[in-house]
Amino acid sequence: MLLVLVLLLLGCTEEKANDGDWNLSPTFNVDNLTLHGTEGKFGVIKVNGESNEPEFPAKQGRLYAVYFLDSLEELNGKKYKMTATHKETGESVKLHEKNIEMEQNAAKFGFDKLGLWKIDVTIDEKPYTSFVVEAK
């Protein structure tokens, strides 16, 4: 009985930890730009569209500047891929895939549904970073 109780408690703790993964990631500033992503590692900012619209407008694609901020790693020439998973539906979509040319790249992508999206970034098929944004 005690073993079953411990397993149930561990399962509930893990479920709550996974819920925490869906908190909207904070923005951060680099060179007077407000970026979405992981501070010191990776960031994106919308470069077209209207200034009064959301950073991630739902059902519309936009062009984003993509910044690789981790100067400790040699990333040029490696392939990065961005995928996103919708919180409510669990649907995953590929947002963008390209070779890293410099510290700044461009990517055009959009979200087809309103709500929270977890963006996972891989480099050469290895996990690099993840963050949560909201499509409005």
Side-chain angles (χ1 to χ4, degrees):
M1 279 299 239
L2 183 58
L3 179 62
V4 171
L5 180 60
V6 169
L7 289 174
L8 283 172
L9 289 173
L10 287 175
C12 291
T13 302
E14 185 174 324
E15 185 176 323
K16 286 182 183 177
N18 288 338
D19 286 346
D21 291 343
W22 285 101
N23 289 330
L24 193 60
S25 298
T27 59
F28 57 95
N29 293 312
V30 174
D31 296 331
N32 295 321
L33 299 173
T34 301
L35 302 177
H36 297 264
T38 305
E39 190 167 5
K41 197 163 196 168
F42 182 87
V44 298
I45 187 171
K46 181 178 63 139
V47 296
N48 70 348
E50 301 298 322
S51 61
N52 63 345
E53 72 183 10
E55 191 71 11
F56 301 97
K59 302 181 183 180
Q60 299 178 33
R62 290 290 182 261
L63 182 64
Y64 294 87
V66 175
Y67 294 91
F68 293 91
L69 306 169
D70 189 354
S71 61
L72 300 176
E73 290 190 46
E74 180 56 47
L75 301 176
N76 286 336
K78 295 183 178 183
K79 182 176 274 192
Y80 80 97
K81 182 168 134 180
M82 296 171 56
T83 57
T85 304
H86 188 255
K87 180 181 181 183
E88 297 300 319
T89 66
E91 169 193 8
S92 288
V93 295
K94 181 171 90 171
L95 297 178
H96 193 74
E97 185 173 7
K98 187 176 181 180
N99 284 338
I100 300 168
E101 299 163 357
M102 298 183 339
E103 293 162 349
Q104 179 185 347
N105 292 260
K108 184 170 181 155
F109 60 86
F111 300 98
D112 65 347
K113 292 178 180 58
L114 294 168
L116 296 179
W117 289 84
K118 183 176 182 185
I119 298 176
D120 294 304
V121 181
T122 60
I123 295 180
D124 285 348
E125 312 261 339
K126 296 177 186 152
Y128 185 65
T129 192
S130 298
F131 57 98
V132 177
V133 300
E134 183 175 9
K136 297 181 181 182

